[in-house]
Amino acid sequence: MLVVMQAHATPEQVRDVCKKIETLGYRPHAIPGAQRTAIGITGNRGEVEPGSLEEMPGVQEVIRVSKPYKLVSRDVKEENSVITFPGSEATIGGRALAVIAGPCAIESREQAFAIAERVHRAGAGFFRGGAYKPRTSPYSFQGLGEEGLRILAEIRDQFGLRIVTEAIDNESLDLVEEYADVIQIGARNMQNFSLLKRAGRSSKPVFLKRGMAATLEEFLMAAEYVMSEGNYNVILCERGVRTFADHTRNTLDLSLVPAVQRLSHLPIVVDPSHGTGKRNKVTPLSRAAIAVGADGLMVEVHNNPDAALSDGMQSIFPDQFDELMAQIRPIAEVVDRYVAGPRNKSAATDVQPAATRP
Ligand code: PEP
Ligand code: MN
């Protein structure tokens, strides 16, 4: 059930409707839009009786949401959601494309800084790198843990890049939320419902990757888990799914982008690195992702991919990342978006002093 408020409804009227929903034993989610506020109702097992809500001042209508997901749906919010970051101009979902680049894993301070310097210079607004790695083998490198998070925080201070890093369980999420700007939930955890709920209680945006065999509906339901706990800042990420194809690690499903955009107001980013698993396919699929209308890219970049402790085969060199950025700029313009320009070395001046950032 969804309560659509009138365009001129006052904040008090919105508050009163929310209170009423609470007294009925449900949870209200007031989502302001450009034209009007909509209040999603969750926590109901069966149907909510609309009668008493319909008559309240400021209410335009009470509508039944037929889809299994509510808060992710465009029924709640017609226009695209734009995720913003306090103390920074970075956005995800706005006209500026979000470029998230960095190594698969943080391996050392030297490695992370060398890569961060290059992706910052090339125009990326976000730095990625796992401190906690979900690996297929228990004997593979598992990440530096909190030490990795400290390195990421230093990178934010040095370059002003927003930090995206993965939480693999509730314990790592406690730490990731302290250090990072965006909490990544990986493909393997897309249906880890207790982790999704924990992320939903965080104040930091959540970057949710599609499960390897997840349908569109399952993917949106995973985002609904996060939002149902009160965290409305969710970014979706298409990172390829398992198919019979053996020329790539996964099959990058670019048709998901317009499919998501039709149903949901949430931003959707494409990861061509995990999506193909092959360095030589990352730039072509990045071009395609921007052309299809993605809100940004997540790309793995490494200064010495042959020696990388994870995902070296799909990591591109910094020079290739420069070229990738140059190639997507004109494509972005065609779809009425833009990509930040390259920064010169002295661009450290556009980095804010650490003290002004939260
Ligand atoms: C990653 O981003 O390094 C990662 C592990 O991705 P995914 O969860 O998509 O496999
Ligand atoms: Mn990786």
Side-chain angles (χ1 to χ4, degrees):
M1 205 62 95
L2 185 64
V3 181
V4 180
M5 300 300 290
Q6 291 164 351
H8 58 263
T10 64
E12 290 71 36
Q13 288 171 336
V14 173
R15 219 173 302 139
D16 287 347
V17 173
C18 289
K19 269 198 213 127
K20 176 77 185 175
I21 292 166
E22 276 169 5
T23 60
L24 292 170
Y26 311 126
R27 181 161 182 183
H29 301 266
I31 314 241
Q35 306 299 330
R36 80 296 190 268
T37 293
I39 306 169
I41 303 176
T42 61
N44 53 307
R45 292 244 160 76
E47 237 169 71
V48 178
E49 180 47 58
S52 53
L53 293 168
E54 235 157 19
E55 300 311 320
M56 291 187 73
V59 173
Q60 169 123 9
E61 58 176 337
V62 179
I63 51 178
R64 189 174 310 135
V65 181
S66 52
K67 302 180 192 85
Y69 41 85
K70 307 172 189 188
L71 305 174
V72 307
S73 161
R74 282 213 192 263
D75 292 342
V76 170
K77 188 162 177 261
E78 220 173 304
E79 68 276 8
N80 295 338
S81 282
V82 182
I83 315 293
T84 56
F85 297 86
S88 145
E89 287 185 357
T91 56
I92 305 180
R95 268 197 75 227
L97 291 174
V99 180
I100 306 162
C104 180
I106 301 302
E107 299 167 9
S108 69
R109 199 172 176 282
E110 294 64 37
Q111 170 247 20
F113 267 75
I115 300 166
E117 196 273 320
R118 290 297 305 267
V119 302
H120 173 258
R121 200 158 13 120
F126 298 81
F127 187 69
R128 64 146 289 147
Y132 299 91
K133 295 305 301 176
R135 303 303 300 277
T136 302
S137 164
Y139 309 119
S140 300
F141 177 59
Q142 305 284 311
L144 294 180
E146 192 169 2
E147 169 62 15
L149 295 176
R150 277 194 285 266
I151 294 168
L152 286 165
E154 273 187 61
I155 283 173
R156 176 179 42 227
D157 290 346
Q158 174 78 28
F159 300 102
L161 292 159
R162 299 292 105 183
I163 302 300
V164 183
T165 193
E166 180 168 353
I168 53 171
D169 48 29
N170 286 10
E171 295 78 62
S172 55
L173 200 147
D174 289 344
L175 285 166
V176 164
E177 135 182 279
E178 229 177 89
Y179 288 92
D181 298 293
V182 180
I183 303 163
Q184 178 172 325
I185 304 286
R188 290 154 192 81
N189 272 316
M190 192 209 79
Q191 283 191 320
N192 180 340
F193 301 118
S194 67
L195 186 61
L196 295 174
K197 285 198 217 168
R198 170 65 186 84
R201 292 191 292 273
S202 175
S203 60
K204 298 278 169 78
V206 174
F207 188 88
L208 179 64
K209 298 189 96 177
R210 181 185 184 186
M212 284 184 215
T215 64
L216 171 57
E217 188 168 302
E218 287 163 345
F219 192 20
L220 293 177
M221 292 305 287
E224 186 82 16
Y225 258 94
V226 177
M227 295 182 79
S228 69
E229 293 292 323
N231 187 349
Y232 308 129
N233 291 321
V234 179
I235 302 119
L236 302 171
C237 177
E238 161 59 28
R239 47 78 74 207
V241 287
R242 280 261 165 99
T243 68
F244 53 81
D246 58 4
H247 63 288
T248 49
R249 180 179 176 185
N250 292 296
T251 296
L252 190 64
D253 178 12
L254 290 180
S255 72
L256 188 87
V257 173
V260 161
Q261 288 169 338
R262 205 181 152 96
L263 299 173
S264 176
H265 54 89
L266 296 176
I268 169 125
V269 164
V270 168
D271 171 354
S273 304
H274 295 87
T276 64
K278 301 259 166 90
R279 186 177 306 147
N280 64 21
K281 294 182 176 52
V282 171
T283 299
L285 270 300
S286 296
R287 294 194 302 259
I290 301 310
V292 85
D295 294 297
L297 293 174
M298 170 175 266
V299 180
E300 286 186 343
V301 180
H302 202 289
N303 54 345
N304 186 4
D306 293 337
L309 297 181
S310 66
D311 286 349
M313 300 268 285
Q314 67 195 32
S315 299
I316 59 173
F317 288 90
D319 284 351
Q320 289 178 303
F321 184 67
D322 290 342
E323 179 58 24
L324 182 157
M325 293 292 274
Q327 290 191 16
I328 61 171
R329 276 190 193 101
I331 301 172
E333 269 180 46
V334 175
V335 290
D336 199 27
R337 308 296 281 268
Y338 68 93
V339 179
R343 302 168 172 109
N344 48 39
K345 277 212 164 166
S346 61
T349 49
D350 64 33
V351 176
Q352 308 161 49
T356 66
R357 266 181 271 110

